[in-house]
Amino acid sequence: MSSLFSPIRLRELALPNRIMVAPMCQYSAENGAANDWHFTHINSLALSGAAMFCIEATAVEAVGRITPGCLGLWNDATEAALRPILASVRKHSKIAVAMQLAHAGRKGSSFRPWEGGQQIPLADGGWQTEGPSDVAHKDGELPPRALDASGLKRVHDAFVETARRADRLGIDAIELHCAHGYLLHQFLSPISNKRTDKYGGSLENRMRYPLEVFDAVRAVFPARKPVGIKVSATDWVEGGWDLEQTIEFARELKKRGVDWIDVSSGGVSPQQKIPLSPGYQVPFAQAIKEAAEVTTMAVGLITEARQAEDIVASGKVDMVALARGMLYDPRWAWHAAAELGGEVYAPPQYWRSQPSTQKALFGKTTFGAR
Ligand SMILES: Cc1cc2nc3c(=O)[nH]c(=O)nc-3n(C[C@H](O)[C@H](O)[C@H](O)COP(=O)(O)O)c2cc1C
């Protein structure tokens, strides 16, 4: 029996396996609205065999986009653009669909990665970003404007409104983006948060805004649907956010009913030094699971079926999320199931691709011809 292909329940969401397609920005939206690229991308990976697909970082307001091409869900137009895509997913796939709710904070107003990824000057169509403090991400950049009380309320309310829209779209789960140096992570990290009010200074104060946003999103999203969070377990910078603080944060989230913690790292500082290796973030996820007793997802350089199986079977984490591996092999979970003796959903149009040695790969299938 494969552990990777064993079921798990997140509130009332029953998942047939432990694999999520990690959120991946496509930088291809127009004014935040999804288009034909998203239709192709999302529908393709909805047939990956993973139990859950997480829609890319979805900005809760326009200034919260990383790039001008980032997806958003902040008005009727952005909501309407996602509707036919989700309808198609529902028609052809059984995958659960999560959405990552995001705000880029001081890392907004960036060129797309294939345009160099640097800050867009105001004169070239960039916009004034906002953050916990007026500290730039990189030397020489235009610093963000520090959010005042009304700004904090506006962003908080934007998260709430987007969560409501996500529910209306039939999204099954929300993942709050609190990683990779974006706004909520900027509040956690002493590198980006220099506030002297109740949102800065002590760990308790730095956690306050992300926890308020979590509570508010949790309160408006239906109780039967899960809300998870993605964190960076460390900034990989001396004196920055670290595993110990992440564990405290995870304990607070657990008290508030978090359904999973997706454990990544880095993103807040260009000074970071990341020692990359296969599954390099798994030990962080394991430590958080053990110390805070929460459901965790490991992400980062998990590429092989056997590797993913071992990570889950050893009890280190509950689930895995794959990003680049899924783009490279959009049927990754089919191939993993074939290797590990699991079963995946496949649409009937594709049933005939089942290898002759794997008669149970797609469950009970029948087809005939005359
Ligand atoms: C094209 C691309 C876009 C990404 N966009 C997001 C995103 O929207 N939100 C997020 O939390 N992480 C994002 N990531 C990071 C991935 O979710 C994942 O954490 C990281 O790539 C490590 O996993 P991997 O080794 O399986 O790719 C992105 C990664 C890639 C490759």
Side-chain angles (χ1 to χ4, degrees), residues 20-27 41 54-58 66 70 100 102 113-114 175-180 182 230-231 262-265 279-281 298-303 321-327:
M20 181 172 93
V21 180
M24 281 181 277
C25 293
Q26 297 299 296
Y27 315 103
H41 168 71
C54 188
I55 296 178
E56 66 192 88
T58 303
I66 308 167
C70 283
Q100 193 183 48
W114 53 82
E175 181 177 272
L176 213 53
H177 200 349
C178 196
H180 301 167
Y182 297 112
K230 188 162 181 175
V231 297
D262 181 359
V263 184
S264 191
S265 70
Y280 69 106
Q281 292 169 154
V299 67
L301 290 179
I302 300 168
T303 52
L322 275 79
R324 290 164 292 183
M326 285 284 177
L327 294 185

